[in-house]
């Protein structure tokens, strides 16, 4: 649809939806108009005329005159329903719902191929950072080795403020919630789950491997204390929640966990709510993209860029994913390519030994005991870290070295 005015059906008018509205209003280059906005709560006061809104998804999905459906809602199941119905109707879709995309990727991929429509979702990973299309297109010709990224602004904001203000996790979290940097229920962010959905999508575009969310280890910052930050600080290190996707021979390691980071990497200087993606290729060496990883206007601008890409019929080519598909249209199970049986050096802080009995310790390099706390620096079997993944009862803090 080059040079044509684009008609948009928008789902969601929250943080990102309103950001898109503002960014679109300021945009000089793109001729686009939001024809209808579908939201959920009839009692909410809106900044636009009531006539712009609907509460019935069919008012958008049944229209024949729309070029794009833009899905920016907070309900994962409803988002999948909306996105898949639009694609079945032959309409291109832009989405920022990483959880919905990560949980339903295989089905969404199939629908794109079957109905020859485009589904693009740059805003779902790294907010304003243009990373997915870069991984898909630019790094296609590069021997990619690994991607290491700070993908959750809430976690980075919390650890930054803990370090700079010398305060404990609970106090900073409360403040972050009051200032809009953390959700009332912060679990999805602080447990590393949100970052996991994002590294899953990155792995598709970086290496062409599709994993299921529960195959990816996510350890978060929910148990971090100021003393952990202090331990790092004394060694000129910082703690960051790092998402990793890397190729080791013909296998891949994909996981999310806190890491001690030293000054030699640019990730060290990524503070507060900022995100960063470091991409390492055999010939390009390390390149780092940084920017606001969330928020109304940064994410809205990524969504706008996707809408704009549709004007020149852009769609992800999934060239790397298709390489593994043997022409039969089915995405192979990536379990065989996933390496979870390796050893990793970690810092583990715990109160009593029974809390870490499921950890397979290969060797201990350093051990510290006090009345309040214990920590070890140890090499452990990576697989055994899954015992701590998503475990709300565990109070153990684990950080890769
Ligand atoms: N916030 C960010 O910085 C950011 C960044 C990247 C990606 N994302 C993703 O973008 C999506 C939207 O996030 P957000 O922060 O904008 O959420 P939000 O501020 O909570 O707004 C959510 C919007 O979705 C609407 N909604 C929820 N369920 C609906 C349903 N079943 N049908 C129609 N509308 C429905 C809500 O309607 P009401 O207005 O009636 O409540 C609201 O307008 C999420 O998937 C999120 O993960 C967010």
């Amino acid at each position: 649809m080059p040079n044509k005015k684009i008609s948009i059906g928008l789902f969601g008018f929250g943080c990102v939806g309103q950001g898109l509205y503002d960014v679109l209003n300021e945009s000089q280059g793109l001729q686009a108009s939001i024809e209808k906005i579908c939201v959920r709560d009839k009692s909410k006061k809106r900044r636009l005329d009531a006539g712009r809104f609907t509460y019935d998804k069919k008012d958008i999905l049944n229209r024949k005159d729309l070029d794009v459906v833009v899905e920016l809602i907070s309900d994962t199941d409803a988002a999948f329903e909306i996105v898949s119905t639009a694609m079945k109707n032959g309409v291109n879709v832009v989405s920022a719902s990483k959880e919905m995309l990560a949980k339903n990727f295989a089905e969404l991929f199939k629908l794109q191929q079957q109905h020859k429509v485009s589904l693009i979702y740059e805003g779902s990973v790294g907010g304003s950072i243009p990373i997915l299309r870069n991984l898909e297109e630019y790094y296609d010709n590069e021997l990619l080795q690994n991607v290491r990224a700070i993908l959750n602004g809430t976690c980075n904001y919390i650890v930054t403020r803990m370090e700079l203000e010398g305060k404990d996790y609970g106090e900073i979290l409360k403040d972050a919630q009051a200032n809009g940097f953390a959700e009332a229920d912060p679990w999805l962010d602080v447990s590393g789950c949100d970052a996991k959905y994002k590294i899953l999508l990155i792995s598709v575009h970086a290496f062409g491997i599709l994993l299921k969310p529960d195959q990816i280890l996510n350890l978060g910052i929910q148990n971090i204390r100021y003393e952990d930050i202090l331990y790092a600080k004394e060694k000129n290190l910082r703690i960051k929640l790092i998402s990793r996707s890397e190729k080791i021979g013909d296998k891949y390691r994909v996981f999310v966990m806190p890491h001690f980071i030293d000054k030699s990497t640019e990730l060290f200087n990524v503070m507060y709510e900022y995100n960063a993606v470091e991409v390492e290729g055999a010939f390009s060496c390390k390149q780092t993209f940084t920017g606001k990883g969330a928020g109304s206007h940064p994410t809205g601008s990524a969504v706008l860029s996707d809408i704009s890409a549709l004007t020149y019929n852009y769609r992800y080519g999934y060239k790397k994913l298709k390489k593994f598909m043997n022409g039969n249209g089915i995405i192979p199970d990536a379990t065989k390519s996933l390496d979870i049986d390796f050893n990793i050096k970690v810092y583990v802080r715990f109160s009593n030994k029974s809390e870490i009995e499921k950890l397979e310790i290969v060797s201990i390099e350093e051990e510290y005991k006090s009345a309040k706390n214990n920590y070890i620096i140890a090499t452990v079997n990576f697989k055994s870290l899954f015992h701590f993944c998503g475990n709300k009862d565990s109070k153990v803090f684990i950080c890769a070295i």
Side-chain angles (χ1 to χ4, degrees):
M1 46 187 144
N3 303 323
K4 176 183 174 272
K5 189 168 182 190
I6 304 172
S7 302
I8 299 169
L10 174 63
F11 284 89
F13 201 62
C15 175
V16 186
Q18 294 188 52
L20 171 68
Y21 179 83
D22 294 341
V23 175
L24 193 57
N25 274 347
E26 292 293 318
S27 162
Q28 309 291 326
L30 185 69
Q31 292 295 307
S33 69
I34 297 174
E35 299 294 327
K36 211 54 168 180
I37 307 170
C38 180
V39 284
R40 183 168 50 179
D41 183 351
K42 289 186 179 164
S43 67
K44 240 187 215 175
K45 277 219 163 78
R46 310 283 172 184
R47 50 189 271 218
L48 305 179
D49 290 347
R52 305 284 307 266
F53 294 94
T54 176
Y55 302 93
D56 184 351
K57 62 184 178 196
K58 292 200 278 310
D59 287 346
I60 290 180
L61 293 173
N62 288 352
R63 275 177 74 154
K64 299 273 177 261
D65 59 331
L66 299 177
D67 301 302
V68 188
V69 161
V70 177
E71 179 281 303
L72 304 170
I73 72 170
S74 47
D75 175 337
T76 300
D77 293 339
F80 177 63
E81 181 67 32
I82 288 161
V83 168
S84 47
T85 305
M87 286 200 286
K88 285 175 192 163
N89 291 345
V91 179
N92 293 326
V93 178
V94 172
S95 170
S97 301
K98 57 254 170 175
E99 181 173 352
M100 182 277 293
L101 292 158
K103 286 184 171 169
N104 300 288
F105 192 88
E107 180 64 20
L108 294 170
F109 174 79
K110 204 164 83 185
L111 289 173
Q112 287 175 75
Q113 313 297 309
Q114 271 175 358
H115 299 277
K116 302 198 169 10
V117 286
S118 181
L119 167 64
I120 43 182
Y121 39 83
E122 193 64 63
S124 63
V125 178
S128 65
I129 303 173
I131 191 62
L132 296 181
R133 259 183 275 163
N134 266 317
L135 288 169
E136 180 69 38
E137 308 296 341
Y138 182 82
Y139 291 98
D140 188 39
N141 297 319
E142 167 61 279
L143 294 172
L144 257 190
Q145 292 171 326
N146 64 68
V147 180
R148 288 175 148 219
I150 294 171
L151 294 174
N152 186 275
T154 301
C155 290
N156 209 43
Y157 178 86
I158 291 172
V159 292
T160 299
R161 284 197 52 196
M162 285 177 73
E163 180 193 327
L164 299 183
E165 297 170 32
K167 291 184 179 159
D168 227 324
Y169 173 76
E171 194 178 344
I172 298 292
L173 173 63
K174 232 185 242 167
D175 214 47
Q177 286 168 319
N179 293 319
F181 287 100
E183 300 285 341
D185 178 0
W187 179 255
L188 204 64
D189 290 313
V190 299
S191 67
C193 220
D194 170 84
K196 164 163 83 172
Y197 298 138
K198 294 168 179 170
I199 200 69
L200 183 153
L201 295 171
I202 280 182
S203 301
V204 169
H205 293 282
F207 297 115
I209 51 157
L210 174 63
L211 296 165
K212 295 192 177 72
D214 61 9
Q215 291 178 304
I216 302 176
L217 174 87
N218 61 292
L219 300 181
I221 62 154
Q222 67 273 26
N223 296 330
I224 196 170
R225 292 197 196 145
Y226 181 64
E227 63 208 67
D228 305 316
I229 302 259
L230 202 59
Y231 176 90
K233 221 172 168 178
E234 280 163 1
K235 294 172 168 49
N236 286 322
L237 302 169
R238 278 189 173 138
I239 296 177
K240 302 277 178 198
L241 185 73
I242 303 290
S243 304
R244 289 166 62 169
S245 180
E246 40 201 53
K247 190 171 190 313
I248 314 275
D250 59 355
K251 296 265 188 181
Y252 298 88
R253 293 180 183 171
V254 184
F255 58 98
V256 178
M257 66 188 287
H259 283 61
F260 289 126
I261 294 290
D262 69 31
K263 285 189 174 135
S264 69
T265 158
E266 288 186 43
L267 298 180
F268 183 86
N269 293 317
V270 179
M271 303 295 263
Y272 294 103
E273 73 274 27
Y274 278 80
N275 280 197
V277 185
E278 183 189 88
V279 182
E280 187 167 9
F283 302 112
S284 58
C285 301
K286 282 184 183 168
Q287 294 167 322
T288 309
F289 301 74
T290 52
K292 291 221 168 162
S296 186
H297 290 159
T299 313
S301 75
V303 175
L304 184 77
S305 169
D306 277 351
I307 297 170
S308 172
L310 290 176
T311 63
Y312 53 87
N313 299 319
Y314 181 79
R315 63 179 58 169
Y316 297 126
Y318 296 113
K319 292 180 279 292
K320 299 171 210 177
L321 193 62
K322 284 178 180 170
K323 257 188 216 161
F324 290 109
M325 288 175 48
N326 303 322
N328 61 11
I330 298 166
I331 304 174
D333 181 0
T335 311
K336 283 195 277 327
S337 319
L338 185 66
D339 180 15
I340 55 166
D341 204 3
F342 61 94
N343 292 336
I344 183 167
K345 194 166 156 183
V346 288
Y347 161 98
V348 185
R349 201 232 329 110
F350 54 98
S351 305
N352 79 61
K353 271 234 157 96
S354 64
E355 290 177 308
I356 57 164
E357 64 190 4
K358 293 211 163 125
L359 199 61
E360 276 175 44
I361 299 172
V362 178
S363 62
I364 295 181
E365 200 172 286
E366 195 184 320
E367 201 162 1
Y368 172 85
K369 283 186 189 159
S370 77
K372 249 176 73 192
N373 259 316
N374 309 303
Y375 72 77
I376 52 170
I377 305 292
T379 297
V380 303
N381 180 270
F382 178 82
K383 225 188 323 184
S384 69
L385 293 174
F386 275 93
H387 290 295
F388 301 87
C389 178
N391 182 347
K392 284 189 173 171
D393 296 328
S394 168
K395 294 285 168 270
V396 177
F397 178 67
I398 304 176
C399 187
I401 298 179

